[in-house]
Amino acid sequence: MSDNLVFRFDVQGNDFTSAGQASVQVKKNLRQLGLDADTIRRVSIAMYEGEINMVIHAGGGVAEVIVSEDYIEIILEDRGPGIKDIDQAMQAGYSTATETIRSLGFGAGMGLPNMKKNTDSMEITSTIDVGTRIVMRVML
Amino acid sequence: MNAEAFAKKTGFKTVCIPSPDKEVEGVYIGDLLSWVMGKAEQGNVWITIMSNINTVAVATLADTSCILLAEGVMPDENALEAAKTKGVNILSTPLSAYEAAMKISELLR
Ligand SMILES: Nc1ncnc2c1ncn2[C@@H]1O[C@H](COP(=O)(O)OP(=O)(O)O)[C@@H](O)[C@H]1O
Ligand SMILES: [Mg+2]
């Protein structure tokens, strides 16, 4: 069995200048690996939305991308406030983002739906006042 | 048509064009980043009035061919710097998004 490739990033909370940097880096890395454009795009979109959520809703976190032979796995983990009602959060248009955050173009409430749409599997575990962990997979 | 030829033919102001060879195909209009992420297609001209650094990240990840800032909007310093290093083309026009899209539609038809 060949070794998996792992990319790991610290995502700064409430830093809107560098927000998305981890995703842009991952995209670059995946390109260098020669993966097909559609796969790269799906991973990029899913990861960006998850990264932004950690920035705006969770005070930052850690992102890990694992490239295996059969799939790319994105793991996003934060120690933010957690998500009270995951079904509600998954609804298109639902957002708790503030006016300030919306004025930057975020907070459309389409992040989690975009993540779901662009991945083959997505699992959210969240505990109030403890944090949120999201594991997504894109099959190769 | 590539981004450079597109800029020339439309007469839109070139703010920066670090990736002149990107193929231009179709248009997406929107200011909400997650909508753009979810809906814009590769090669689209992305017309928006959002000019902060986050639009540059979205353009990179969504593979748009260029950002077209409507209504005479110009990028802030951070955004311009990021666009140059990440290879994101930025054009600007005094036209509204609607007028700009009409003009592009005529050209790409
Ligand atoms: N990592 C997270 N920690 C806490 N809450 C989150 C997190 N991710 C998402 N949420 C909650 O789920 C909602 C919907 O998320 P999303 O679909 O990405 O929309 P948006 O980010 O535009 O608000 C957010 O407004 C927020 O309340
Ligand atoms: Mg979001």
Side-chain angles (χ1 to χ4, degrees), chain B:
Chain B
M1 184 181 321
N2 71 24
E4 190 171 32
F6 174 78
K8 217 167 264 164
K9 286 206 173 134
T10 53
F12 296 148
K13 180 182 161 66
T14 299
V15 178
C16 69
I17 194 151
S19 304
D21 294 334
K22 279 200 179 156
E23 269 310 296
V24 173
E25 269 171 79
V27 172
Y28 187 81
I29 305 179
D31 303 316
L32 297 179
L33 302 178
S34 285
W35 278 94
V36 180
M37 269 301 194
K39 298 275 182 175
E41 289 171 16
Q42 176 165 353
N44 278 177
V45 175
W46 170 22
I47 308 180
T48 181
I49 49 166
M50 275 288 170
S51 61
N52 62 53
I53 189 165
N54 300 295
T55 58
V56 175
V58 169
T60 306
L61 295 167
D63 289 326
T64 58
S65 55
C66 60
I67 298 172
L68 173 58
L69 297 171
E71 310 282 6
V73 168
M74 289 294 281
D76 61 37
E77 196 67 31
N78 275 341
L80 182 57
E81 208 43 53
K84 284 178 185 162
T85 53
K86 293 192 176 119
V88 172
N89 300 325
I90 302 183
L91 309 177
S92 178
T93 175
L95 300 178
S96 70
Y98 170 67
E99 292 162 339
M102 296 271 287
K103 188 166 182 173
I104 297 167
S105 148
E106 244 158 57
L107 178 70
L108 294 185
R109 202 197 309 266

Side-chain angles (χ1 to χ4, degrees), chain A residues 16 27 41 49 104-105 114 117, chain B residues 33-34 38 40 54 60 62-63:
Chain A
F16 301 105
K27 178 168 194 180
R41 208 177 124 85
E49 294 288 6
L104 293 169
N114 275 351
K117 193 177 96 186
Chain B
L33 302 178
S34 285
N54 300 295
T60 306
D63 289 326

